[in-house]
Amino acid sequence: MSLTVLVTGANGFVGRAVSRALQERGDSVLGVVRRAQSAVPGVRECMLETNDFGDLQARWPVGFRCDVAIHLAARVHVMRDDSSDPLSLYRATNVAGALRCAEAARVSGARRFVFVSSIKAVAESDAGSPLRETDEPNPTDPYGISKLQAERALVDYGRDAGLDIVIVRPPLVYGPGVRANFLQLMSAIAKGIPLPLGSVTARRSLVFVDNLADALVHCATDPRAAGQTFNVTDGRDLSVSELARALATHLHAPARLVPVPVGVLRLAGRVTGRSAAVDRLVGELRLDSSHICERLGWYPPHTVEHGLLETAAWYRATH
């Protein structure tokens, strides 16, 4: 049965993949965006002008009804954030904004609200074993704190309003169109720049954008997802050095990985004030994603090798 689905952030990296996956299923998509005609072709658009969905009700299409909403839009990591109170800015969009979207979706008939959170709502590292959905959350930065607060606020709202809340916690998402650190890594590898990653053996979970989109469609449509929280990964964790070597192969570039001891990298991070960035390279952050497999029978349709090949092919074609 086809559905009408509200997708916030429909013109974003993940939003475009989700919109395509829904349309391939035969669903109708209303995309909440900030720029006109920026979503996937065939997506009806609702354009907003604020970061925290403050004008959502005023912009809402008259008579619009939806069956389910997938909430992707968020304030993400802001590099060199010089705000005196960054947490309040994250809360304004990620907590208050998410609640406004949930309310608008419920009033428009939605029975389910799929909230795309982040593993950073739980932790920055796995402390020796893959993180499970039942682990006690301990976020450490404003982004992660705001995502956890949004999860809890939405669960409370859903219980009071009769709206089914499903929470999805992905790790780092990659694929064609990726930005930020993953793009910088590919750029450095493609240019043949030596990288001090040869001794980094810690593994980190990843998720290919089309795998995440497929999981979100299942979370939006499968009755068994009701009230659940899911980790979603590719099902195979790579170390940063393995990731760099695989990307080098697909980019047709040399893998110039210098075997710098991890202790030296951590010391360099402390000296330069970049400990957090170094920790993301050398620390383990693995997720146990067996719950969504067991509960929904969902398995990633694409291997990590396929995802990296597609990502590298996109990079070669566009850079």
Side-chain angles (χ1 to χ4, degrees), residues 172-176 206-213 233-234 302-304 306-308 310-311:
L172 187 150
V173 185
Y174 69 97
L206 306 169
V207 63
F208 180 45
V209 66
D210 287 350
N211 284 340
L212 177 57
T233 76
D234 284 340
H302 305 286
T303 64
V304 65
H306 172 82
L308 294 177
E310 290 290 310
T311 308

Side-chain angles (χ1 to χ4, degrees), residues 35-293:
R35 297 186 308 277
Q37 298 179 337
S38 57
V40 171
V43 171
R44 182 182 178 189
E45 294 182 343
C46 173
M47 191 173 70
L48 303 185
E49 297 177 346
T50 62
N51 291 325
D52 55 5
F53 304 95
D55 59 347
L56 183 58
Q57 293 294 345
R59 298 274 181 169
W60 202 249
V62 176
F64 173 75
R65 305 291 292 174
C66 65
D67 300 298
V68 63
I70 300 175
H71 185 57
L72 289 155
R75 179 181 175 87
V76 297
H77 292 284
V78 178
M79 304 305 291
R80 303 182 185 89
D81 193 340
D82 57 1
S83 169
S84 60
D85 186 11
L87 181 55
S88 67
L89 298 178
Y90 281 99
R91 283 173 172 157
T93 300
N94 296 350
V95 183
L99 287 170
R100 291 189 185 102
C101 290
E103 169 67 10
R106 185 192 66 80
V107 170
S108 297
R111 301 180 298 274
R112 176 172 293 179
F113 189 84
V114 180
F115 177 62
V116 182
S117 183
S118 168
I119 196 56
K120 290 183 178 293
V122 181
E124 293 282 348
S125 63
D126 64 33
S129 60
L131 296 172
R132 299 179 63 87
E133 293 87 349
T134 52
D135 289 343
E136 184 66 26
N138 184 31
T140 58
D141 68 0
Y143 171 72
I145 291 169
S146 70
K147 281 293 193 178
L148 179 61
Q149 291 176 344
E151 289 183 12
R152 291 173 170 172
L154 285 167
V155 168
D156 289 343
Y157 173 79
R159 182 179 57 248
D160 295 339
L163 180 65
D164 177 24
I165 306 295
V166 181
I167 295 168
V168 176
R169 293 173 177 160
L172 187 150
V173 185
Y174 69 97
V178 69
R179 295 289 183 262
N181 292 337
F182 202 98
L183 178 59
Q184 292 177 12
L185 176 62
M186 282 199 297
S187 179
I189 293 170
K191 293 174 182 177
I193 298 174
L195 299 172
L197 305 176
S199 296
V200 179
T201 59
R203 296 182 179 274
R204 299 180 73 87
S205 294
L206 306 169
V207 63
F208 180 45
V209 66
D210 287 350
N211 284 340
L212 177 57
D214 188 73
L216 290 173
V217 171
H218 278 72
C219 288
T221 59
D222 193 325
R224 295 171 294 179
Q228 298 294 307
T229 296
F230 297 116
N231 295 336
V232 177
T233 76
D234 284 340
R236 180 184 163 210
D237 303 333
L238 302 177
S239 70
V240 174
S241 57
E242 288 174 331
L243 172 63
R245 290 189 179 96
L247 285 172
T249 297
H250 295 315
L251 290 168
H252 306 157
R256 295 196 170 103
L257 305 183
V258 181
V260 178
V262 170
V264 174
L265 292 175
R266 291 190 185 277
L267 176 61
R270 290 194 294 271
V271 170
T272 60
R274 295 178 58 82
S275 289
V278 171
D279 287 343
R280 285 194 291 271
L281 285 174
V282 304
E284 290 206 326
L285 181 56
R286 296 164 298 155
L287 284 64
D288 183 335
S289 55
S290 61
H291 179 47
I292 190 172
C293 303

